[in-house]
Amino acid sequence: MRIGLGINYAGGFKEVAAEVADLERAGLDIVFVPEAYSFDAVSALGYLAASTERVQLASGILQLYTRTPTLTAMTAAGLDYVSDGRFTLGLGASGPQVIEGFHGVPYDAPIARTREVVDICRQVWRRERLQYEGKHYRIPLPADQGTGLGKPLKLINKPVRERIPVLLAALGPKNVELAAEIAEGWQPIFYLPEKANDVWGDALKAGRAKRDPALGDLDVYAGPVLAIGDDVEPLREFVKPHLALYIGGMGAKGKNFYHALATSYGYGAQADRIQELYLAGDKDAAAKAVPDELVRDVSLIGSAGFVKERLAAFRESGVTTLNVVPIGATSADRVKLIEQLRNLL
C-alpha cells in the first residue's frame, strides 16, 4: 500500500511545503490538497510542485460545480506539467452546503455531471478538437444558446500525459459504481474494512464489469487518522467531533450521506442520536455519542501491533493507498509517524 496524506487547508503554503518536503524524505508517496471554502487547492498544488521532487500530488478534491469541465482539464494539465507528471485529478460533487451555500450554484445531477466532466477532460488531454453533446454540457455552445460564433478548439499546449489519473470521491452506490467504471481511483470516507464489501461490494462489482481494461486496476484510497504508540488510545477522542460533524451536521434529516453510511455500518440508532444532538446545537454531546467501536475501526490509532493488524485488514479489503491524518503536535511528530507507518508496511 502507498502512503498518502492530506495537508491542512487552513495553514500557510510555505510552512506546509517545508513539512511535505520532510514527509517526502520519510517515505510519503502522495499528498492531497483539499478545497473546501478555503484558499483554492490549485495555488497550493503549484507551490508544492516546485517544492518537491518525487511525491505524487493530488487535488482532494476539486468540486465539479465550481469550474467548467474544460477549465478543470486545463488546470489538471497545467499541474501535471509543473510537477513533471506527478498529478492526480481528484474530483467530487461535494454537497449542497458548500456548492449552493458558498458558490451559489445549483447542486444537481452529480452522477451525470461527473461522467460528462471526466469525458470532456480526457478529450482535452488528448488534444482533440472539442465537440461534446451531453445533457449538462454542450461544447461548443449551440447557436440558439449563444452568439453562434463558437467553434471547436483543442488545447494549445501538449500535455505531459494524455491520460492524467482521475480519482473520484464517492459514497452512494451509483456514485461508487461510476467511479469503478470510469476512474483510475476511488476515495470513500470513514472507510471500515470489515464492512466495506457489504456496503460497496455490489456497486464496485457492477462498475468494474463495465470498466475499460486500459484504466488498469482501481486504486482504492482510505483515509484513517493515524497515531502509533503504547498509550495513544485516548487520542481516539479527537476523532469523534469530526465524525459527529459529518454524521450529524452535513445535511438535513434524510439528506445526509454520512449518516446513511454510519447506518449501513450498523450504527443506525447511534447515528440518529448524533444527528438529533448536532442539529439541536449540542455538538459536544453529539461527539460523545459517537461509538468507540466505530472510531477504533475506521482509524489507525493504537500500538504498533494493533496498527499492523489493522493495516492487514485494510489491505485485505482492497485498499491500495492509505491517505492518513497523522495526529502530531509538531512537524517532526508527523514525520516520525509516517516513518513508523512505512516500517509497519
Side-chain angles (χ1 to χ4, degrees):
M1 286 188 290
R2 296 188 304 169
I3 300 175
L5 176 147
I7 70 167
N8 182 354
Y9 48 68
F13 295 168
K14 292 181 180 179
E15 296 81 2
V16 167
E19 182 170 332
V20 169
D22 290 337
L23 289 164
E24 180 180 44
R25 288 187 286 272
L28 189 70
D29 295 301
I30 184 167
V31 61
F32 287 78
V33 179
E35 188 172 77
Y37 39 99
S38 54
F39 287 145
D40 73 291
V42 177
S43 298
L45 284 160
Y47 198 98
L48 286 173
S51 307
T52 56
E53 297 178 357
R54 177 194 58 80
V55 70
Q56 300 288 305
L57 306 174
S59 53
I61 57 170
L62 298 187
Q63 299 147 1
L64 290 176
Y65 302 88
T66 57
R67 297 169 175 84
T68 66
T70 41
L71 178 57
T72 298
M74 292 163 61
T75 299
L79 288 169
D80 206 45
Y81 175 77
V82 297
S83 65
D84 296 321
R86 291 185 285 139
F87 180 65
T88 293
L89 175 60
L91 288 171
S94 186
Q97 293 87 349
V98 173
I99 300 306
E100 296 183 357
F102 190 69
H103 294 284
V105 178
Y107 185 87
D108 66 338
I111 298 173
R113 285 186 182 275
T114 299
R115 183 183 292 276
E116 292 187 15
V117 168
V118 173
D119 283 346
I120 292 167
C121 282
R122 287 174 174 158
Q123 286 189 35
V124 171
W125 299 331
R126 292 194 298 265
R127 298 189 72 229
E128 298 174 359
R129 291 198 178 276
L130 190 56
Q131 291 183 284
Y132 193 83
E133 286 286 334
K135 182 177 180 180
H136 301 283
Y137 302 103
R138 300 178 69 185
I139 306 171
L141 197 66
D144 62 351
Q145 294 183 22
T147 64
L149 298 177
K151 60 181 181 180
L153 299 172
K154 67 179 180 179
L155 188 67
I156 293 173
N157 312 82
K158 184 177 180 181
V160 174
R161 295 179 290 177
E162 70 170 29
R163 177 57 70 81
I164 296 170
V166 173
L167 165 70
L168 295 183
L171 281 182
K174 291 297 183 183
N175 303 66
V176 172
E177 180 178 336
L178 181 68
E181 178 189 350
I182 70 170
E184 279 84 359
W186 165 54
Q187 184 179 27
I189 193 171
F190 308 141
Y191 186 93
L192 202 166
E194 289 83 358
K195 297 286 186 178
N197 187 63
D198 294 339
V199 176
W200 294 301
D202 290 344
L204 290 169
K205 183 178 180 180
R208 284 171 168 141
K210 296 178 283 185
R211 185 177 181 83
D212 182 349
L215 289 171
D217 293 335
L218 180 70
D219 284 328
V220 179
Y221 295 72
V225 177
L226 174 69
I228 304 172
D230 293 330
D231 56 355
V232 298
E233 284 82 0
L235 294 177
R236 293 173 184 167
E237 293 299 314
F238 289 100
V239 180
K240 290 186 176 183
H242 186 64
L243 283 165
L245 166 64
Y246 279 79
I247 296 170
M250 287 293 189
K253 289 185 177 180
K255 296 183 179 180
N256 182 320
F257 310 130
Y258 313 100
H259 177 282
L261 177 60
T263 300
S264 68
Y265 281 164
Y267 295 102
Q270 296 92 327
D272 288 344
R273 182 60 176 159
I274 293 165
Q275 187 176 62
E276 177 185 353
L277 291 166
Y278 202 97
L279 294 180
D282 196 343
K283 298 179 182 179
D284 289 340
K288 291 177 182 177
V290 174
D292 293 339
E293 296 83 1
L294 177 60
V295 176
R296 179 197 65 204
D297 293 343
V298 301
S299 306
L300 291 173
I301 301 176
S303 67
F306 171 83
V307 171
K308 191 166 186 176
E309 289 178 4
R310 296 306 295 155
L311 289 174
F314 277 91
R315 183 183 290 109
E316 186 177 348
S317 73
V319 170
T320 56
T321 300
L322 291 165
N323 187 26
V324 298
V325 182
I327 300 179
T330 67
S331 175
D333 291 336
R334 292 186 286 273
V335 169
K336 182 180 178 181
L337 280 169
I338 296 302
E339 290 174 339
Q340 289 177 292
L341 182 60
R342 172 60 65 194
N343 290 333
L344 290 174
L345 287 172

